[in-house]
Amino acid sequence: MGTGALMSLGTRAMAASYAQLQTTSNNIANVNTKGYSRQEVQLATAGGQFTGAGFFGRGVDVTSVTRAHDEFLTREASLSSALAAADTARSDQLLRLEKIFGTGESGLGYATNQMFNAFADVASKPQDLSSRQVVLSRAGELAARFTTAGQQIDELQTGVTGDLQAAVSQINDLTSRIAVLNQKIVDGRGSGQPPNDLLDQRDTAVQDLSKLMQVSTIGAEDGSVSVFMGAGQALVLGTRTTSMVAMRDPYDNSRVTLGIATEAGNRALPTSLLTGGSVAGLMRFQSTDITDARNLLGQMALAVGLQVNEQQSLGLDLNGQTGAAMFRFGPVSGLPVLAANPSSANGGSAAISLTLQPPAALTAAGVSSVQASDYRITADGLGGFELARLKGGEIDPEFAAQSVLNGDVVDGFAISISGTAAAGDTFLLRPAGSAARNMQLNMTNPKLLAAASPLSATTGSMNTGTGEVGAIHYDSTDVAAYANLPATLKFQATAVAGQYTYTWTDSTGTRVPNTWSPGQPIVYPGTTPTNSFSVQINGVPTAADSSASPAVSSDTFVFGANAYPGSDNRNANALLALRDNPLVGAIWSGGTLQQGANVTDAFAGIVASIGVRVQSARSAAELSTGVAADAELARSSKSGVNLDEEAARLIQYQQTYQAAAKMLQVAQTVFDTLLQTAGR
């Protein structure tokens, strides 16, 4: 065996050591490169050469340069980062939403109570214009706060829309990049060696995509990967991509939905496909949190505004006229009329609107007040319509859908339907959604504040009982409607202990006696439904009893038109009482009225609802972020570069290289010696 074998061994060893030195140096250089996987030279023995004395080794070969990569850890890191991105995106938006609902003196609850409390001064001095002006000033401030809060929610929606559009653009850029890398990887694998840097770049692109939208990947034999979202919608198939689009919501141009571009046009994707990534968090915030906050705020604005307007209409102002509406919810005074939002895909000519109803009419008819919900009406194409309540943009399973017709009253609004609807046409109803941002003060003249009651009550001077006139409830403030007044109310004793009868005597004569028990309201029938009224008698009046000795005379109460509205404060007291009345969210269930909440409790409920969401979202974000950090740590411990290890390897490979060089030096010396010996 000549010195050539020794030279070959040294050369191979030196080449292998140089490759290891080069790869280790590359690892050190890319220690801070995002997505870089540590690379390692794979060596194999060159095989033995047979001789009569046995097999002699021929050295080492460099077979490949591989990267430290674990498919499972990489997939887990992408999945956990997708969930963390979704939770973080929603948590960040909820923190912005929470700031809209301030507490303390900056809160809507405080402003509402301040307005109602101002009626106490009006009740004390009904003719005092300065007290009346304070009420209007505080009512104007309340309306402005509702409007500002509604506009801030709209601005938050605008920001979410912009974020979603930007995310869709980034998704398309990343899928295009993955497709290009797929082609390069397929081409690179033609050499028989893995293109490590390209594989790292593709893994990084997939992980970046996962932070926007949770995806899954399936590898192909040629080295390319296909990328899918959710339940199987393909985004990348080899070198082909499917572009995503941010489509306008079919019911609301201020919102976006996600879709894909197809040859037949853009096709919307169901939100159920979005299970992770910041896009999923933003979509959930848009469909549930913003919608719920807007509806809760609008429900409170309507409850306060409509109740105050109704009580105003039951009183007389300083001019002796029926009280005008204090608030309006749009450019026109009166009960708000809202147009339903038709779907852009509707094929019929039908139009639907809803008119909010006065609170008293709802109570009398046994209909729930305005709820903090959206609704969807679907046409069957045969003239029928089905109404369903929504939750998070989908039908709420807790409330059964119901058939509705033109003129039906549901949850505080009357439905008006015109035109002809095609089968499957849908309409979105938002009775509370726009109320807050459209709330305005409708009154500037303090004289128009209706502090007086149109009816007066006089207690008989000879009364001996404890009975006193409490609240008077009436349907009309038109004095002419009560043409039969004055009317005198008297009580008579009965044989049943604690039970009485009462009679009304007016210009038409004495009415038929009716049974009465203390605490029950007493109705003056009038001649039409609009000129009747009910009276609450507090305490127990003395009832007539002719069988007693001496005979007992009845206590009397005389009711008539209010001749001095300027000095009357009973409607001001009624307006003040609204502060503690359950105005917000009354609902009928099983034929029973479930009372709502007063404005203080209602606003506290809104703040609590948003606060709970903020806390739960923050906890979810912290937990998922921690899980994502652990998963990334596990991945990087396998794929990342450790400078201490690389420094040790650098010394090791340097020594190997030097030993190989020494081997060549020895071979050269042996060769020179052989030449000298042969020359002799």
Side-chain angles (χ1 to χ4, degrees), residues 114-115 117-119 121-122 128-140 446:
Q114 286 293 93
M115 181 197 70
N117 290 339
F119 283 110
D121 292 334
V122 176
D128 184 16
L129 292 181
S130 62
S131 298
R132 290 167 170 262
Q133 186 60 56
V134 170
V135 170
L136 293 185
S137 297
R138 290 181 176 174

Side-chain angles (χ1 to χ4, degrees), residues 39 45 87 94 142 164 172 223 242 252 315 343 434 458 517 590 609 647:
Q39 296 180 8
T45 181
D87 292 336
L94 279 169
L142 175 63
L164 286 171
N172 289 334
T242 299
D252 185 353
S343 171
S434 61
T458 304
S517 297
S609 174

